[in-house]
Amino acid sequence: MHTDAPRPRDGLAARLRAAPGTVALAAVDLAAFGWVAAHGSTTDPALLARLGALDHARVWDGEPWRLLTAAFLHVGPVHLVWNLAFGVPLCALVERAIGTRRFLAVYLASALGGSAASMLAAMPMSAGASGALFGVAGAMLALYRRAVGSWRAFLSSRDIILNGIVLVAFALAGLFLPIDGWAHAGGLVTGAWLGWIASRPPPRRARAWLPPAAALGLAIALALRPDPRWAANRDELEALHAALRDGDRTRARAVLDAAHARGNDAAGLPYYEGLLLAQEGDLDGALERLRPLASAARGPARDEARKALAAVAKRLGVLLVVGDGRPADPARGRALLDEACAAGDAEACRLAAEAAALER
């Protein structure tokens, strides 16, 4: 197979000039990392989800572009450096072998294939170029198989055996570490199939690309189809939100009880339950639901939970300090006012100071 790869004596600059697609992808990875860092911590799951990571709920809620953008985001500098150190030499090698256009097609299709596999396997939120890079590794294996001419020669190759050990190690690591092994597998299969086609000797026929394109399209279509359970959870949360907005506690309680009976495990359910308990007057129960949410990772959901927690803690704190309708407990009341103050309620800070002054 003919390639335009520079000879070993060529310098790094010459090798990079021969792989412009690889350089462009690395530049996009670095730019995306800098963009995330400009908005906050690059290891913050809520921030990554907001900026384009593979979040099932957001994909199903009308953001299919996440299947591709997730491949350009990385969880912290170690993740980025690891993927660049492993990916740039590998991508440059494959790009020089099959050409820039075919290489980019393999890379981007592998990213989509990896994301689709992750979605279909119901993996947690993920980000990173690993699915695409495994696709490029699959293409490299396909190129090597075509070069050696037979499966016997391929499987007996020392390099292939070593690569197989590495792939098995990654698969086993996924059982114990937060690694999206399904994205790796989806990317690997996609890249190997496309790499086999891209390296076919002339005459090359366009129809050879149709089977993998159809398979990838089907996988993406299935991944974008919302899980019925997720859709039911979302509908119940929307019904709860509407009932609480309208002040209809009876309807809200009926929706909440039905959601619990059905096993609704949506992350937002405890928040709405806390709001309903507060409306029903069970302030202690509301605090129990809201506190874990208010101390969770940063993001809009945490901010809303902190606001609700502050309002409930302030309300209960005042009641306990003055003893209005229940036995007075000034010490606990002040503690609740301090909690509301710490959650960002300026009025609670003032009330806590006044209560402390009265005690003196």
Side-chain angles (χ1 to χ4, degrees):
M1 179 174 56
H2 175 71
T3 70
D4 295 324
R7 289 187 291 272
R9 66 174 179 271
D10 291 338
L12 174 62
R15 292 198 295 273
L16 293 178
R17 282 196 300 271
T22 297
V23 174
L25 291 171
V28 173
D29 284 341
L30 289 168
F33 189 83
W35 178 56
V36 174
H39 288 79
S41 171
T42 57
T43 60
D44 180 5
L47 178 62
L48 290 168
R50 182 163 61 87
L51 297 183
L54 190 64
D55 181 350
H56 294 205
R58 294 172 189 254
V59 171
W60 289 331
D61 207 28
E63 299 180 1
W65 43 267
R66 290 175 176 273
L67 271 70
L68 187 58
T69 57
F72 295 98
L73 299 178
H74 290 83
V75 187
V78 174
H79 189 201
L80 174 69
V81 171
W82 171 265
N83 275 351
L84 288 178
F86 164 72
V88 169
L90 173 65
C91 289
L93 176 66
V94 173
E95 181 179 359
R96 294 196 302 267
I98 63 176
T100 299
R101 286 188 300 175
R102 290 191 180 90
F103 161 72
L104 289 175
V106 168
Y107 187 96
L108 297 176
S110 297
L112 292 171
S115 292
S118 179
M119 291 282 295
L120 292 171
M123 296 299 291
M125 187 193 75
S126 62
S130 299
L133 294 178
F134 266 73
V136 177
M140 181 191 68
L141 295 176
L143 293 174
Y144 188 79
R145 163 61 183 83
R146 193 176 288 283
V148 298
S150 71
W151 283 108
R152 179 183 295 274
F154 177 80
L155 294 175
S156 62
S157 166
R158 181 174 178 271
D159 289 337
I160 295 304
I161 293 172
L162 291 176
N163 277 280
I165 292 173
V166 171
L167 292 176
V168 171
F170 264 99
L172 293 176
L175 299 176
F176 307 100
L177 299 174
I179 296 174
D180 192 344
W182 284 101
H184 294 170
L188 181 69
V189 172
T190 303
W193 196 351
L194 294 178
W196 182 255
I197 295 171
S199 62
R200 290 181 62 163
R204 298 188 177 100
R205 296 178 176 84
R207 65 173 180 268
W209 294 88
L210 293 179
L216 179 59
L218 177 61
I220 292 173
L222 292 174
L224 295 179
R225 180 175 58 88
D227 184 285
R229 182 179 178 84
W230 174 85
N233 288 351
R234 180 196 58 186
D235 291 344
E236 286 172 343
L237 290 183
E238 290 177 351
L240 258 177
H241 176 80
L244 291 170
R245 180 195 60 207
D246 298 339
D248 190 341
R249 294 196 298 271
T250 301
R251 178 158 57 96
R253 172 54 63 183
V255 173
L256 180 64
D257 290 344
H260 281 309
R262 194 183 58 80
N264 188 320
D265 58 354
L269 190 63
Y271 170 74
Y272 287 110
E273 185 172 8
L275 296 184
L276 176 58
L277 289 171
Q279 287 191 13
E280 293 175 335
D282 184 0
L283 301 181
D284 287 302
L287 291 175
E288 183 180 344
R289 301 298 188 282
L290 293 171
R291 277 175 176 141
L293 302 177
S295 60
R298 289 176 291 179
R302 175 180 181 266
D303 294 340
E304 290 301 316
R306 282 174 63 85
K307 290 178 184 177
L309 175 68
V312 174
K314 180 176 68 174
R315 180 179 165 191
L316 181 56
V318 170
L319 292 176
L320 290 173
V321 168
V322 302
D324 186 8
R326 62 173 66 204
D329 187 347
R332 182 167 178 244
R334 289 197 308 275
L336 287 168
L337 289 173
D338 288 337
E339 182 178 6
C341 176
D345 191 307
E347 185 182 14
C349 297
R350 179 180 60 80
L351 292 172
E354 291 177 356
L358 289 176
E359 285 297 312
R360 291 196 295 270

